Amino acid sequence: MATFTIAQRAEIELEIRKSRFIGIVQPVAGREAAMQEIARMREVHRSATHVCWALMAGGQSGMSDDGEPSGTAGRPMLEVLRHHELDGVLAMVVRYYGGVKLGAGGLVRAYTDAIATALKTSERTERVAQAEIEIGVVYSAEPQLRHWLAQQKYQLLDSRHDTLAHLHLRLPEAALAQAEEAIRRLSSNAEIKRIA
């Protein structure tokens, strides 16, 4: 089954019975990146009443009601992400309380609407599993290899040079076997090591 992510960060604002709800969705690499972003939003919105969040990131998923009644913020936001089959996505809602209580049902609707509305403004893209490899080749083969990488549009993450030229790259996991074959045609004694 295909999973999806979003192409870029999206932010919207809703006013519901005098409370201000800022809905934010953004792609994230994992839980650590999500926690950094949540901390940043708490810093930016210091006077906010709540910064609730939900994260879909494989085995690193999670949620927080951040002081709202249990089950009225984090879980509804997580369900919106699940409904859209998203992974690698952080959803946050910053709430500035306006003095009118919404009740449990009203809170669930408000948090759900904030994330659903933010998702409407973001582009959903298929999430492609990636692999990282390090290629070691003799110096004379490096220009051809770099040319081939540029043609394939694989991402060159790093390079280093010792007795060999080492190129660290990221590519779709589905293309790995074909890429290894092409690299060996360019340099028959290439060292190819899977990193991630």
Side-chain angles (χ1 to χ4, degrees):
M1 184 175 91
T3 59
F4 299 87
T5 190
I6 55 176
Q8 73 284 333
R9 185 179 198 275
E11 183 175 319
I12 58 93
E13 190 170 320
L14 302 174
E15 188 172 314
I16 302 169
R17 298 181 68 193
K18 298 186 180 178
S19 280
R20 193 171 142 219
F21 292 85
I22 302 167
I24 303 152
V25 290
Q26 69 183 69
V28 289
R31 192 174 185 94
E32 187 179 321
M35 294 300 116
Q36 289 173 358
E37 187 57 25
I38 293 162
R40 190 182 76 76
M41 291 309 290
R42 285 195 170 119
E43 186 63 29
V44 169
H45 295 279
R46 274 187 236 167
S47 58
T49 320
H50 308 280
V51 178
C52 304
W53 58 270
L55 170 67
M56 283 299 290
Q60 302 177 351
S61 299
M63 64 190 159
S64 170
D65 293 318
D66 192 37
E68 291 283 27
S70 181
T72 61
R75 180 156 306 282
M77 293 162 55
L78 194 63
E79 289 305 318
V80 173
L81 297 179
R82 279 193 182 122
H83 175 76
H84 286 87
E85 300 173 318
L86 294 171
D87 194 47
V89 176
L90 171 64
M92 295 178 286
V93 175
V94 177
R95 181 185 183 195
Y96 288 89
Y97 181 61
V100 178
K101 292 192 175 187
L102 300 179
L107 287 171
V108 168
R109 276 189 300 281
Y111 282 97
T112 299
D113 288 351
I115 295 308
T117 304
L119 284 172
K120 285 179 185 172
T121 67
S122 63
E123 180 188 345
R124 189 173 100 147
T125 60
E126 189 169 351
R127 191 172 165 115
V128 177
Q130 298 287 308
E132 289 183 23
I133 59 174
E134 184 176 275
I135 307 162
V137 294
V138 294
Y139 284 96
S140 61
E142 184 182 9
Q144 289 173 291
L145 181 58
R146 284 183 180 266
H147 178 72
W148 176 80
L149 289 174
Q151 286 179 322
Q152 301 303 312
K153 296 186 169 81
Y154 295 151
Q155 187 179 2
L156 179 62
L157 301 173
D158 193 20
S159 64
R160 64 183 170 81
H161 297 82
D162 48 39
T163 55
L164 296 174
H166 297 273
L167 303 178
H168 178 183
L169 60 124
R170 181 180 295 134
L171 65 157
E173 196 164 309
L176 197 54
Q178 188 178 13
E180 286 184 14
E181 196 177 295
I183 293 163
R184 296 216 186 279
R185 276 197 306 271
L186 289 170
S187 178
S188 59
N189 58 354
E191 294 176 6
I192 303 170
K193 180 172 66 173
R194 175 97 187 242
I195 296 171

